Amino acid sequence: QGCAQKYIVKNYFYYYLFKFSAALGEEIFYITFLPFTYWNIDHSVSRRMIVIWSIVMYIGQVSKDILKWPRPLSPPVVKLEMRTDAEYGMPSTHAMAATAISFSFLIATVNQYKYPFELGLVAAFVFSTLVCLSRLYTGMHTVLDVIGGALISAVLLMLLYPAWDMIDHLLLTSPFCPLLSIVVPLVLCYNYPKLDYYSPTRADTTTILGAGAGATVGFWLNNQYAAPAYTSKNFQLGFPLITSKIVVVVLARFFVGIFVVLLTRQLMKSVVLGMLGYRYKFPIGDLEARRRLEVEVPYKFITYSSVGFSATVIVPLLHKLLGLM
C-alpha cells in the first residue's frame, strides 16, 4: 500500500493541466460527457460510445488483474493519486478509455456532422494524448502501461467497428436485449478474477457494466415505446449554426439531466446500501463489509444501472415535459 508523499510543485501549468487531464478518465467525466452526447448530439453516437466504452473498460480492468503488473515504484516516482494505487498497472485503463471514447466519437460523427476530418482527428489525438501523459505525470503508470492501453483500445476499436451497426440494431430490436443486458454483466461481475488482497477494480468494473446495462435497457425501451426525443436533425452543431438559443437549450438539457442523474445516484446508493446492510446485518459505515462480493456487486450494479436508465429514459421524458426538445 502506498502512502502520501510530500512534494513541491515547480510548474503549476503542468500540474493543473495533467491533474485536469487525469480527471478526463474518471467517473466525473463519464457521468457528464456520455449523457451529454445522448441529450444534445445524437442517440446513435451515444449508443456506440457507451457500448465501446463498456467493452474496452471491462477488458482493460480484467487484464490488469490477470497480468498483475505492478505500478511504478514510489520512490523514485511521486504518486499524486492514492485511490487507485492498490490496483495493478498494465494496461492503463485511463489510456484505454480516452482512446476509445475520443476516436469512437470521431468515427461516429464524421459522416453525420459538417466539420473537417483533420480537425476531429487532431482533437481526438490531443484528448487521448493528454490523458495518457497525465498518467505518467501523476506517477500512476509506466510508459509501457500507457502505450499498451492505447494500443489495446485501438485494436478493439478496429475489431468492433465492422460490427457497430449490427450490435446497435440488436440492442434496439432484439426481444432478449433487456434480459441479456442485465444477466451478462452481472455474471461477469460475480465471476471477476479473485485477488489476494482488496482492489477497487471489481467495484469500478461493476460500476461501468452497471451503467452500460441500465443505458442499454433504456435504449431498447425508447426504441420500442417512444419516438427518439432528439436526433442529429435537431441541432447541427457546426460552428456557423450555433446560436444563443441553441446554447441555452443545450445548457438547460445538460443541467437538468445532471441534476437528475446525480440525484438518482445518491438516492439509489442510500436505498440499496441500506437494504443490503439490513440483509447481511452490517452497519452502513462498515467499509470491510461493503467490499464483500455479495454486497459490493449488487450495491454498485443496481446503483449505476439506475443511473444509466435514468439518463436514457427519465431525463429525456423530463426534457420533453419541460419543453426542452
Side-chain angles (χ1 to χ4, degrees), residues 28 64 112 119 147 164 182 189 220 223 232 234 260 283 294:
I28 187 63
K64 280 185 179 183
Q112 297 191 46
L119 177 63
I147 293 175
W164 267 19
I182 300 298
C189 292
W220 185 86
N223 188 68
S232 57
N234 291 103
V260 173
E294 66 271 21

Side-chain angles (χ1 to χ4, degrees), residues 186 189-190 202 272-273 275-277 279-282 288-302:
L186 271 176
C189 292
Y190 275 108
R202 184 180 65 199
V272 175
L273 192 57
M275 293 175 64
L276 290 169
R279 168 67 177 82
Y280 294 106
K281 312 300 181 187
F282 66 87
E288 287 301 316
R290 290 165 58 173
R291 289 175 170 178
R292 285 154 41 189
L293 175 68
E294 66 271 21
V295 174
E296 187 174 66
V297 170
Y299 169 49
K300 293 290 185 179
F301 192 87
I302 295 173

Side-chain angles (χ1 to χ4, degrees), residues 10-325:
K10 295 182 178 180
N11 190 312
Y12 280 95
F13 173 76
Y14 288 140
Y15 178 78
Y16 288 113
L17 172 65
F18 291 126
K19 289 285 281 185
F20 173 77
S21 301
L24 297 179
E26 297 173 358
E27 181 182 348
I28 187 63
F29 175 73
Y30 304 143
I31 210 169
T32 53
F33 178 72
L34 294 177
F36 179 88
T37 62
Y38 191 77
W39 301 330
N40 290 303
I41 299 181
D42 190 292
H43 284 183
S44 64
V45 172
S46 182
R47 289 196 303 269
R48 285 163 169 77
M49 290 177 64
I50 289 173
V51 169
I52 293 294
W53 170 68
S54 300
I55 295 172
V56 164
M57 287 298 287
Y58 173 76
I59 292 174
Q61 295 285 80
V62 170
S63 298
K64 280 185 179 183
D65 290 337
I66 292 176
L67 294 174
K68 297 183 179 181
W69 287 18
R71 289 185 182 270
L73 294 177
S74 177
V77 166
V78 176
K79 294 184 178 179
L80 304 186
E81 298 175 12
M82 286 294 106
R83 179 187 175 275
T84 57
D85 192 35
E87 298 179 7
Y88 291 107
M90 177 68 172
S92 166
T93 47
H94 273 70
M96 292 183 71
T99 303
I101 288 176
S102 58
F103 283 94
S104 62
F105 182 81
L106 170 66
I107 296 168
T109 58
V110 69
N111 292 323
Q112 297 191 46
Y113 295 91
K114 296 179 180 179
Y115 67 85
F117 173 77
E118 294 78 9
L119 177 63
L121 185 62
V122 169
F125 180 79
V126 169
F127 177 88
S128 55
T129 300
L130 281 175
V131 175
C132 290
L133 290 177
S134 75
R135 308 317 290 158
L136 303 178
Y137 182 88
T138 56
M140 302 312 297
H141 286 286
T142 65
V143 173
L144 187 59
D145 295 342
V146 169
I147 293 175
L151 288 178
I152 292 171
S153 191
V155 170
L156 289 172
L157 269 175
M158 289 189 291
L159 293 175
L160 291 169
Y161 176 71
W164 267 19
D165 292 337
M166 180 186 70
I167 294 172
D168 192 52
H169 178 73
L170 290 175
L171 291 179
L172 294 178
T173 61
S174 173
F176 303 105
C177 174
L179 178 63
L180 293 177
S181 296
I182 300 298
V183 171
V184 173
L186 271 176
V187 169
L188 294 176
C189 292
Y190 275 108
N191 290 277
Y192 193 82
K194 292 180 173 60
L195 297 178
D196 297 330
Y197 61 90
Y198 180 79
S199 165
T201 48
R202 184 180 65 199
D204 292 343
T205 304
T206 306
T207 293
I208 292 164
L209 293 184
T216 302
V217 172
F219 299 151
W220 185 86
L221 283 174
N222 286 337
N223 188 68
Q224 298 296 318
Y225 301 107
Y230 8 81
T231 66
S232 57
K233 295 180 180 179
N234 291 103
F235 293 154
Q236 290 288 341
L237 297 179
F239 291 109
L241 298 178
I242 293 179
T243 65
S244 58
K245 180 181 178 181
I246 289 178
V247 171
V248 169
V249 173
V250 165
L251 291 176
R253 287 179 179 178
F254 176 72
F255 286 115
V256 168
I258 288 299
F259 174 77
V260 173
V261 164
L262 294 179
L263 181 64
T264 301
R265 184 179 67 164
Q266 190 59 42
L267 178 63
M268 293 306 296
K269 276 186 174 183
S270 300
V271 171
V272 175
L273 192 57
M275 293 175 64
L276 290 169
Y278 177 79
R279 168 67 177 82
Y280 294 106
K281 312 300 181 187
F282 66 87
I284 293 178
D286 188 343
L287 183 60
E288 287 301 316
R290 290 165 58 173
R291 289 175 170 178
R292 285 154 41 189
L293 175 68
E294 66 271 21
V295 174
E296 187 174 66
V297 170
Y299 169 49
K300 293 290 185 179
F301 192 87
I302 295 173
T303 297
Y304 284 91
S305 60
S306 300
V307 168
F309 183 84
S310 175
T312 53
V313 176
I314 306 301
V315 172
L317 289 175
L318 185 58
H319 285 168
K320 185 175 182 179
L321 183 65
L322 295 174
L324 296 174
M325 289 177 55

